[in-house]
Amino acid sequence: AQSVSQHNHHVILSEAASLELGCNYSYGGTVNLFWYVQYPGQHLQLLLKYFSGDPLVKGIKGFEAEFIKSKFSFNLRKPSVQWSDTAEYFCAVTLDSNYQLIWGAGTKLIIKP
Amino acid sequence: NAGVTQTPKFQVLKTGQSMTLQCAQDMNHNSMYWYRQDPGMGLRLIYYSASEGTTDKGEVPNGYNVSRLNKREFSLRLESAAPSQTSVYFCASTRTGNYEQYFGPGTRLTVT
């Protein structure tokens, strides 16, 4: 079965540190890729998405992600994190033209002030 | 626009009790979804409705039923709650042809 792997379940960083969260999927066909974020006490919201074109996509709040097809990866990055980035981050994938999302387990990010 | 709304926000049930979780969206979206979120497991799809009048099982449908009452509303029913159904439940919706899902605030359900 197709799956999405997020390698780190918990990440703790200090403010101003650089961030990279890993996401890998297991599917050789066409994919659409998403990162969602869930701030404490809030609902999930879209951070960024990739459908086609430039594999480096920019999202809200200074986040970006790079799609590397050969590595089946879609890692999330931010050059300098802030305390307000404390949240849980989810990678998700749709396969071909199927609209159902397959979700990773999530990464809890804690930023120390 | 309120977006996607869910009621209740919190619920505690005893084993064997039943309840219905309500979800409504005001974005005129065709597709609606119910997920459960458990620690370390991400979101798992329970049921979805591609359009009014249709529903389909997702990854973990056992113990649940759904009703797509109209285009706006999609309810999730637990007929006989079990402790394994303790979870946070999210409703989501999306426009046909659009992959981005919009989520409600969630319902935290505890079954004792």
Side-chain angles (χ1 to χ4, degrees):
Chain A
Q2 285 74 32
S3 63
V4 177
S5 299
Q6 292 183 242
H7 314 296
N8 306 102
H9 293 302
H10 292 89
V11 173
I12 301 174
L13 295 172
S14 298
E15 275 196 313
S18 65
L19 169 72
E20 181 160 4
L21 301 181
C23 173
N24 286 88
Y25 60 93
S26 61
Y27 184 67
T30 302
V31 292
N32 299 296
L33 300 151
F34 305 81
W35 276 97
Y36 279 81
V37 60
Q38 188 176 25
Y39 296 104
Q42 296 188 28
H43 55 88
L44 283 146
Q45 55 186 291
L46 184 68
L47 200 54
L48 49 77
K49 60 191 176 189
Y50 172 81
F51 292 164
S52 62
D54 188 344
L56 184 63
V57 292
K58 294 192 185 301
I60 59 172
K61 303 189 181 186
F63 286 91
E64 64 179 32
E66 185 175 14
F67 171 49
I68 302 179
K69 191 173 181 179
S70 60
K71 294 186 178 179
F72 302 92
S73 70
F74 189 55
N75 292 355
L76 181 71
R77 300 195 293 246
K78 186 171 184 178
S80 177
V81 294
Q82 302 170 306
W83 176 78
S84 58
D85 293 324
T86 294
E88 190 159 15
Y89 293 81
F90 293 90
C91 182
V93 174
T94 63
L95 310 178
D96 294 319
S97 58
N98 190 321
Y99 290 90
Q100 291 185 43
L101 285 167
I102 301 171
W103 294 83
T107 297
K108 283 193 175 160
L109 175 66
I110 297 172
I111 307 299
K112 298 184 294 184
Chain B
N1 285 355
V4 180
T5 57
Q6 291 182 237
T7 55
K9 284 191 167 49
F10 302 93
Q11 183 71 49
V12 179
L13 292 178
K14 290 186 178 357
T15 297
Q17 287 185 315
S18 63
M19 80 160 295
T20 299
L21 281 63
Q22 307 287 355
C23 173
Q25 51 89 13
D26 62 1
M27 296 175 283
N28 202 34
H29 287 170
N30 288 314
S31 301
M32 297 184 74
Y33 308 80
W34 275 106
Y35 292 94
R36 59 178 290 173
Q37 182 185 24
D38 301 294
M41 301 189 74
L43 276 76
R44 292 183 292 169
L45 183 65
I46 304 171
Y47 271 94
Y48 68 101
S49 170
S51 61
E52 186 179 351
T54 68
T55 60
D56 285 286
K57 294 178 180 179
E59 182 185 354
V60 289
N62 291 347
Y64 305 95
N65 284 302
V66 290
S67 295
R68 183 76 183 266
L69 304 168
N70 47 55
K71 191 170 186 178
R72 288 187 65 248
E73 298 171 290
F74 188 39
S75 62
L76 178 72
R77 182 157 178 86
L78 286 70
E79 291 291 351
S80 178
S84 61
Q85 294 177 306
T86 293
S87 189
V88 181
Y89 291 85
F90 287 100
C91 178
S93 70
T94 188
R95 216 172 54 228
T96 298
N98 191 319
Y99 295 98
E100 181 178 349
Q101 294 188 11
Y102 294 80
F103 284 83
T107 295
R108 188 173 292 274
L109 175 67
T110 302
V111 183
T112 61

